[in-house]
Amino acid sequence: MAFVYPFDAELDPDLRIRTLGRKAAGLQEMLALGIPVPPGFTITTEVGKELRESGQWPEGVEVEVEAALAALEARTGRRFGDPSDPLLLSVRSGAPVSMPGMMDTILNVGLNHETLEGLAARHDDERFALDSYRRLLQVYSSVVRKIPAERFQFRLQELKTNLGHPRMADSDLDASALRRLIADYEELI
C-alpha cells in the first residue's frame, strides 16, 4: 500500500476513509461528483499512526511525498519555493473519525520573504500577500511551535491600539501595518 495518494486517486470506498481520513475522503467524493477541488495529495492515516507510535516516518514516505509534490508542481505549473510564482500548500490534519475543532490546518505553506513578493506580483496585491504571510506565521507558530495563540492576538490588538483604532477589523490593516505586525510576529517566534 502507498503512503501518498493524489486527490483524484481511485480507492475502494470502504477503505477510503480509513486510509485517507474523513476530510480527504470527502475531497475524493467531491471530485467524483464533478465538484471542482484544487489539486493536491494526501498522506495516509497509517503514516500518522506510525509516527505517533514509533516517533519516526515510515521508510519511503519522504520519497512518495517528493514525487507527489513534483506531480503537483507539473500539474499547476508552479514550483514550491519559486520566488516569482510560488506553489502554496494547505496542510490539513485528518482522521478516520470526525473530530470538529480538534484538527489543525496550516494555510499558505511555502510563503517566506522570498516568495512573498512573487505572490504579491501574481495577484497585484501586496496587502493580500502580506496578510497571507501573517496568517501563516501565526498559525504555524501556534500549531507547530506551540507558541500560545493569545500571544499573537495580543500583538495584533496592540498594533491596532497603537494605530488609534483598537476595534478595527483585521482586514482594515494596510500593507504598512501588516509589515510591522509581521516583524513583530517574527521577533516573537
Side-chain angles (χ1 to χ4, degrees), residues 9 16 45 58 62 68-69 76 81 102 120 141 149 152 162 166:
R16 190 180 295 157
T45 58
E62 289 180 40
L69 183 57
T76 63
M102 299 299 295
S141 297
F152 292 95
N162 290 341

Side-chain angles (χ1 to χ4, degrees), residues 12-172:
D12 181 271
D14 295 331
L15 294 175
R16 190 180 295 157
I17 291 174
R18 202 169 50 241
T19 302
L20 304 178
R22 194 163 291 281
K23 284 183 184 181
L27 291 172
Q28 281 202 333
E29 290 172 17
M30 289 168 54
L31 279 167
L33 293 171
I35 298 171
V37 173
F41 58 88
T42 303
I43 301 171
T44 66
T45 58
E46 189 60 36
V47 171
K49 180 180 176 190
E50 186 165 329
L51 184 60
R52 278 190 314 280
E53 290 174 359
S54 72
Q56 296 186 9
W57 295 104
E59 189 174 326
V61 73
E62 289 180 40
V63 171
E64 287 189 39
V65 169
E66 288 172 7
L69 183 57
L72 187 58
E73 289 174 332
R75 186 169 180 185
T76 63
R78 294 193 180 107
R79 284 190 28 248
F80 189 73
D82 181 352
S84 63
D85 191 14
L87 172 65
L88 302 181
L89 303 176
S90 297
V91 179
R92 303 176 185 274
S93 57
V97 295
S98 181
M99 300 172 68
M102 299 299 295
M103 307 307 266
D104 297 312
T105 298
I106 303 173
L107 304 175
N108 306 314
V109 173
L111 269 181
N112 56 43
H113 286 279
E114 291 77 35
T115 59
L116 188 58
E117 290 181 33
L119 182 67
R122 182 172 194 282
H123 292 279
D124 194 28
D125 191 341
E126 180 186 25
R127 193 216 166 276
F128 163 74
L130 289 165
D131 194 45
S132 298
Y133 186 50
R134 186 258 318 172
R135 291 170 188 270
L136 167 65
L137 291 175
Q138 186 172 343
V139 174
Y140 173 84
S141 297
S142 296
V143 171
V144 178
R145 302 283 302 275
K146 304 298 184 201
I147 299 172
E150 297 79 26
R151 294 177 72 185
F152 292 95
Q153 283 304 116
F154 175 80
R155 302 270 177 120
L156 174 60
Q157 189 56 50
E158 185 176 54
L159 174 65
K160 290 177 183 181
T161 300
N162 290 341
L163 291 171
H165 303 287
R167 294 186 182 202
M168 77 186 312
D170 296 358
S171 58
D172 290 333

